[in-house]
Every structure is written in C-alpha cells, then in structure tokens.
Amino acid sequence: MNAQENTTLTLPKWVDLHAHLRQEPMLAPLIEAQISMGCRGTLAMPNTKPPLAKVLEADPLPYGSVESYLGRIRAIAGDRMPEVIVPLYLTKDTTPKMIEDGAKSGILRACKYYPPHGTTGADFACGLETFMENGVIEAIEETGLVLCAHGEEHILGDADFFDRNRNAEILFYTNRAPRLLDACPDLKFVAEHMTTRTACDFVKKAGPNVAASITPQHLLYTISDLLKGCKYHLYCMPLLKFEDDRAALREAVTSADNGKFFAGTDSAPHTTKATECGCAAGCFTGGYAPQLYAQAFEEAGCALESLENQQIFRQFLCTNGPEFYALPAAADGETFTLTRTPRKVEMLEIPGAGAVTPLPLGTKRDTLPWSVAV
Ligand code: DOR
Ligand code: ZN
C-alpha cells in the first residue's frame, strides 16, 4: 500500500448548514444518514409539508412550527446530533413581532427566503420586496438572526432563466442582494448553495456579515454532466452551472482564506425524481457528503495528503460554518475519520416512503474514493 492509499483525516464532527430532512416517515432515516457522515448538527430546511412558517406550536396560523419540528428532530437525534437550527419559512403571514418573539425565546436562530415558485416547496414564498417593506428584514437584522437566502430571481422569462451570462442567480446577486444589503448593512446573510462566479464575487466583496454555503454537486459537476445522457439525479435548484462558475467556487473553497465559505449540502431526497412531465429538483448526498467534498477538493487540485490542504478542508467542512452561526465548537475528541478507501455507494431505503438515490449513483459512478467512520 502506498502512502496515498491510507491517508486518514481525523476531523471535528461537522454541521451541515443546509439539508432537507423532510417529515415523517422520512425524518428518522434522513437524520441517521446525517449522523452516519459525522454530523453533530444540521440546519434543517423548513420547506416541509406543511411548511414551517410559524415559530410556536400554539400560534393558530395553519402551518407547521419551528418549535415542534425541533422537538421531533431532538427526539430522534438526541445527543448524537445536538446542534440543530430550523429556520422560519418567510411567508405573507410572517410579521416582525414573530421574529422578535422567536429570537427572544431562543427557538429561532435563522429565517429562510425562497423565491416564489422558484423551487421544490417554494409555493408559500413571497418576493423579497414584501419583507423589505413590512419590516421583517429589519427585524431579522436587529435581532441578529441569520437570513438564509435561496438567491435566485423569480418570475423570469426563459431568456433570463438560464443563459451563459445571465441567469436567475446572477440577476439576484447583481440586483436584489446589493439593494438588500444597502438597506440593511448589518444583516447576517448567507448566500445558500451558491453556484456562480457573480455570487462568489458578491460574497467576497461584502462585509463579514455575509457568507455562503456551497454544495458538493456544484463543486463536482457542471451543467454538461447533467445534460450528457440527461442525468436527472444531478437536477437541482439552483441548476449546475458552467466551467468558469465551478472554477470560481473551487478557488473560493480551496484558498487558505476560505473563511466566508462553508459546507451546506442542500441534500434534498426525492423518492421519485423523473416524472411524466419533468423532474423533481434536488440532489441527495446524505451519508456521503464529506467523501464528495474531499473528492471535489482533490479534483480542484487541493490534494489531501498535504497537512496545509487538510487544514483548508477542515475550515470549510467543520469550522467556518459553525463560527458564522455562532454555534459551539466541537468538543475535544468529538471527531470522525475520512479515509482514502474506496467505498461503494448504496441506495437509502426509507420504510413507508421508497428509496432515495445518493450521488454519485445515477451518474456514471457508484464508488467514492473516500470512506467515513464515525
Ligand atoms: O433542488 C432543490 N431541491 N432545491 C431547493 O431549493 C429545494 C430542494 C428540495 O426541497 O427538494
Ligand atoms: Zn435546499
């Protein structure tokens, strides 16, 4: 065996700062998948059924509550995955008072902006201007909560939706995001699942209150990988982009000063991906994300034999995100290992729901160069 074959990184347990854990009966198996890949926490997205658009269960609004969902996750995960954040889904019914009371109660740590009709489960969303006018964004800024943004412009004609130099994300980061941060310069803002060079430049130029999460799929693949053979398991929102965009993301995460960029997988399971009239958006990476990120770092030229590169990888996967969200650091000894041992990827069977397909299954590969032990 040569030195490369048994490279092992012992890493602090990490927090996946963007994942979809859905609702029962998918919730428990998806939590187990997070724990199995070394997570000590997850920021669990609120586009469940029903959406999590109120903070307290006692609120009469006809939505699910952050309070109840947190309780259900804690009942399954317990001490094994203690750092759970559930952002409030911003809808027409969100008020500044809901944000202020939620922040005071300690239940609410973040809010989620979806572009209306922009993606799976975004049917309850409202345009950003609504929240800039009704005081909701100001309340988020003043309470110090984090605004997690799905940064894509909505209601676009085909020409603006996807083009080499113009697409929904580019429009958001050249138009809406600058106006938002001019109006609320202290807003803690996360450019979630960032995919373009434009968004990357925006985040780099902004103050320390602005950061970004990046998924494994956007570091590993481009739109060509999706189009060649119509690999629909690679279909997610925001869409995979071009070579130059991927190069910008790779450069951002693999540079020694990658402090504004962190892991957020956007793992989004669908038991039925391809339908008769289209395809559900979402890449599932539960159980395999550190391995996929490691592969992406190496494809970007950041070989993980080097101690210096291991440190850069650790920052991106394990420490930058928790620091931005002011979460406690992993305790000494709270670690997992990532070893260069090839591992076959397996479907996840979810009793009562069906099977979900983790990447890279559904592409040309079924094996990852790395494996994880917890
Ligand atoms: O691809 C996506 N899938 N993007 C999203 O924003 C939502 C997610 C889902 O919930 O399936
Ligand atoms: Zn998502």
Side-chain angles (χ1 to χ4, degrees), residues 253-273:
V253 301
T254 60
S255 77
D257 64 343
N258 64 0
K260 278 175 164 255
F261 303 102
F262 50 78
T265 61
D266 201 8
S267 177
H270 290 272
T271 49
T272 306
K273 275 287 279 178

mmCIF file of all heavy atoms in Angstrom, residues 253-273:
data_model
loop_
_atom_site.group_PDB
_atom_site.id
_atom_site.type_symbol
_atom_site.label_atom_id
_atom_site.label_comp_id
_atom_site.label_asym_id
_atom_site.label_seq_id
_atom_site.Cartn_x
_atom_site.Cartn_y
_atom_site.Cartn_z
ATOM 1 N N VAL A 253 -13.288 27.813 -2.126
ATOM 2 C CA VAL A 253 -13.246 26.866 -1.000
ATOM 3 C C VAL A 253 -11.841 26.348 -0.724
ATOM 4 O O VAL A 253 -11.532 25.985 0.414
ATOM 5 C CB VAL A 253 -14.217 25.663 -1.177
ATOM 6 C CG1 VAL A 253 -15.653 26.142 -1.313
ATOM 7 C CG2 VAL A 253 -13.845 24.758 -2.334
ATOM 8 N N THR A 254 -10.988 26.308 -1.744
ATOM 9 C CA THR A 254 -9.659 25.711 -1.538
ATOM 10 C C THR A 254 -8.577 26.736 -1.214
ATOM 11 O O THR A 254 -7.415 26.378 -1.059
ATOM 12 C CB THR A 254 -9.201 24.890 -2.772
ATOM 13 O OG1 THR A 254 -9.157 25.769 -3.899
ATOM 14 C CG2 THR A 254 -10.133 23.726 -3.055
ATOM 15 N N SER A 255 -8.955 28.034 -1.106
ATOM 16 C CA SER A 255 -7.911 29.004 -0.772
ATOM 17 C C SER A 255 -7.766 29.052 0.759
ATOM 18 O O SER A 255 -8.724 28.784 1.503
ATOM 19 C CB SER A 255 -8.228 30.376 -1.360
ATOM 20 O OG SER A 255 -9.202 31.010 -0.590
ATOM 21 N N ALA A 256 -6.553 29.404 1.206
ATOM 22 C CA ALA A 256 -6.278 29.359 2.650
ATOM 23 C C ALA A 256 -7.203 30.302 3.413
ATOM 24 O O ALA A 256 -7.556 30.044 4.559
ATOM 25 C CB ALA A 256 -4.819 29.708 2.905
ATOM 26 N N ASP A 257 -7.619 31.411 2.766
ATOM 27 C CA ASP A 257 -8.545 32.317 3.465
ATOM 28 C C ASP A 257 -9.988 32.080 2.977
ATOM 29 O O ASP A 257 -10.648 32.957 2.458
ATOM 30 C CB ASP A 257 -8.114 33.785 3.303
ATOM 31 C CG ASP A 257 -8.181 34.237 1.859
ATOM 32 O OD1 ASP A 257 -8.243 33.357 0.970
ATOM 33 O OD2 ASP A 257 -8.194 35.462 1.618
ATOM 34 N N ASN A 258 -10.450 30.847 3.182
ATOM 35 C CA ASN A 258 -11.803 30.464 2.736
ATOM 36 C C ASN A 258 -12.863 30.716 3.811
ATOM 37 O O ASN A 258 -13.948 30.132 3.763
ATOM 38 C CB ASN A 258 -11.824 28.984 2.312
ATOM 39 C CG ASN A 258 -11.530 28.037 3.477
ATOM 40 O OD1 ASN A 258 -11.304 28.485 4.594
ATOM 41 N ND2 ASN A 258 -11.534 26.745 3.218
ATOM 42 N N GLY A 259 -12.580 31.619 4.753
ATOM 43 C CA GLY A 259 -13.423 31.793 5.942
ATOM 44 C C GLY A 259 -14.886 32.103 5.693
ATOM 45 O O GLY A 259 -15.726 31.839 6.538
ATOM 46 N N LYS A 260 -15.209 32.689 4.539
ATOM 47 C CA LYS A 260 -16.615 33.038 4.264
ATOM 48 C C LYS A 260 -17.393 31.885 3.641
ATOM 49 O O LYS A 260 -18.573 32.030 3.348
ATOM 50 C CB LYS A 260 -16.654 34.210 3.281
ATOM 51 C CG LYS A 260 -16.466 35.559 3.925
ATOM 52 C CD LYS A 260 -16.395 36.612 2.842
ATOM 53 C CE LYS A 260 -16.596 37.976 3.459
ATOM 54 N NZ LYS A 260 -17.924 38.508 3.173
ATOM 55 N N PHE A 261 -16.725 30.772 3.385
ATOM 56 C CA PHE A 261 -17.377 29.694 2.633
ATOM 57 C C PHE A 261 -17.421 28.428 3.484
ATOM 58 O O PHE A 261 -16.429 28.068 4.115
ATOM 59 C CB PHE A 261 -16.621 29.451 1.321
ATOM 60 C CG PHE A 261 -16.533 30.715 0.496
ATOM 61 C CD1 PHE A 261 -15.364 31.463 0.466
ATOM 62 C CD2 PHE A 261 -17.637 31.178 -0.201
ATOM 63 C CE1 PHE A 261 -15.299 32.653 -0.252
ATOM 64 C CE2 PHE A 261 -17.588 32.365 -0.922
ATOM 65 C CZ PHE A 261 -16.418 33.105 -0.950
ATOM 66 N N PHE A 262 -18.592 27.783 3.486
ATOM 67 C CA PHE A 262 -18.714 26.584 4.316
ATOM 68 C C PHE A 262 -19.641 25.554 3.699
ATOM 69 O O PHE A 262 -20.381 25.840 2.745
ATOM 70 C CB PHE A 262 -19.143 26.951 5.735
ATOM 71 C CG PHE A 262 -20.345 27.863 5.840
ATOM 72 C CD1 PHE A 262 -21.627 27.372 5.668
ATOM 73 C CD2 PHE A 262 -20.170 29.215 6.133
ATOM 74 C CE1 PHE A 262 -22.727 28.207 5.788
ATOM 75 C CE2 PHE A 262 -21.275 30.063 6.245
ATOM 76 C CZ PHE A 262 -22.554 29.550 6.075
ATOM 77 N N ALA A 263 -19.587 24.358 4.276
ATOM 78 C CA ALA A 263 -20.364 23.229 3.772
ATOM 79 C C ALA A 263 -21.833 23.370 4.130
ATOM 80 O O ALA A 263 -22.192 23.648 5.277
ATOM 81 C CB ALA A 263 -19.815 21.932 4.370
ATOM 82 N N GLY A 264 -22.662 23.188 3.144
ATOM 83 C CA GLY A 264 -24.119 23.119 3.294
ATOM 84 C C GLY A 264 -24.555 22.300 2.096
ATOM 85 O O GLY A 264 -24.436 22.750 0.964
ATOM 86 N N THR A 265 -24.961 21.055 2.339
ATOM 87 C CA THR A 265 -25.067 20.115 1.216
ATOM 88 C C THR A 265 -26.273 20.350 0.319
ATOM 89 O O THR A 265 -26.274 19.963 -0.833
ATOM 90 C CB THR A 265 -25.187 18.673 1.743
ATOM 91 O OG1 THR A 265 -26.386 18.594 2.547
ATOM 92 C CG2 THR A 265 -23.975 18.295 2.562
ATOM 93 N N ASP A 266 -27.326 20.957 0.884
ATOM 94 C CA ASP A 266 -28.616 21.021 0.186
ATOM 95 C C ASP A 266 -29.080 19.615 -0.211
ATOM 96 O O ASP A 266 -29.743 19.432 -1.229
ATOM 97 C CB ASP A 266 -28.563 21.929 -1.050
ATOM 98 C CG ASP A 266 -29.968 22.389 -1.459
ATOM 99 O OD1 ASP A 266 -30.927 22.130 -0.702
ATOM 100 O OD2 ASP A 266 -30.096 22.984 -2.539
ATOM 101 N N SER A 267 -28.717 18.644 0.612
ATOM 102 C CA SER A 267 -29.153 17.276 0.344
ATOM 103 C C SER A 267 -30.685 17.260 0.359
ATOM 104 O O SER A 267 -31.309 17.630 1.353
ATOM 105 C CB SER A 267 -28.592 16.362 1.437
ATOM 106 O OG SER A 267 -29.054 15.056 1.221
ATOM 107 N N ALA A 268 -31.274 16.854 -0.768
ATOM 108 C CA ALA A 268 -32.728 17.013 -0.955
ATOM 109 C C ALA A 268 -33.293 15.745 -1.579
ATOM 110 O O ALA A 268 -33.311 15.594 -2.801
ATOM 111 C CB ALA A 268 -32.997 18.228 -1.843
ATOM 112 N N PRO A 269 -33.718 14.793 -0.720
ATOM 113 C CA PRO A 269 -34.153 13.494 -1.229
ATOM 114 C C PRO A 269 -35.520 13.536 -1.902
ATOM 115 O O PRO A 269 -36.440 14.201 -1.417
ATOM 116 C CB PRO A 269 -34.226 12.644 0.045
ATOM 117 C CG PRO A 269 -34.471 13.623 1.141
ATOM 118 C CD PRO A 269 -33.793 14.890 0.740
ATOM 119 N N HIS A 270 -35.600 12.820 -3.011
ATOM 120 C CA HIS A 270 -36.891 12.616 -3.701
ATOM 121 C C HIS A 270 -37.002 11.136 -4.008
ATOM 122 O O HIS A 270 -36.098 10.571 -4.628
ATOM 123 C CB HIS A 270 -36.934 13.418 -5.006
ATOM 124 C CG HIS A 270 -37.028 14.898 -4.771
ATOM 125 N ND1 HIS A 270 -38.227 15.549 -4.621
ATOM 126 C CD2 HIS A 270 -36.068 15.836 -4.638
ATOM 127 C CE1 HIS A 270 -38.006 16.835 -4.411
ATOM 128 N NE2 HIS A 270 -36.695 17.040 -4.408
ATOM 129 N N THR A 271 -38.096 10.516 -3.601
ATOM 130 C CA THR A 271 -38.255 9.094 -3.910
ATOM 131 C C THR A 271 -38.649 8.905 -5.376
ATOM 132 O O THR A 271 -38.404 7.855 -5.943
ATOM 133 C CB THR A 271 -39.301 8.431 -2.986
ATOM 134 O OG1 THR A 271 -40.461 9.253 -2.975
ATOM 135 C CG2 THR A 271 -38.782 8.292 -1.567
ATOM 136 N N THR A 272 -39.245 9.907 -5.975
ATOM 137 C CA THR A 272 -39.489 9.876 -7.423
ATOM 138 C C THR A 272 -38.830 11.103 -8.030
ATOM 139 O O THR A 272 -39.257 12.224 -7.753
ATOM 140 C CB THR A 272 -41.009 9.924 -7.724
ATOM 141 O OG1 THR A 272 -41.630 8.877 -6.994
ATOM 142 C CG2 THR A 272 -41.273 9.748 -9.208
ATOM 143 N N LYS A 273 -37.784 10.886 -8.812
ATOM 144 C CA LYS A 273 -37.085 12.024 -9.423
ATOM 145 C C LYS A 273 -37.722 12.378 -10.761
ATOM 146 O O LYS A 273 -38.124 13.506 -10.993
ATOM 147 C CB LYS A 273 -35.608 11.687 -9.653
ATOM 148 C CG LYS A 273 -34.715 11.912 -8.477
ATOM 149 C CD LYS A 273 -34.455 13.390 -8.201
ATOM 150 C CE LYS A 273 -33.376 14.005 -9.100
ATOM 151 N NZ LYS A 273 -33.211 15.446 -8.816
#
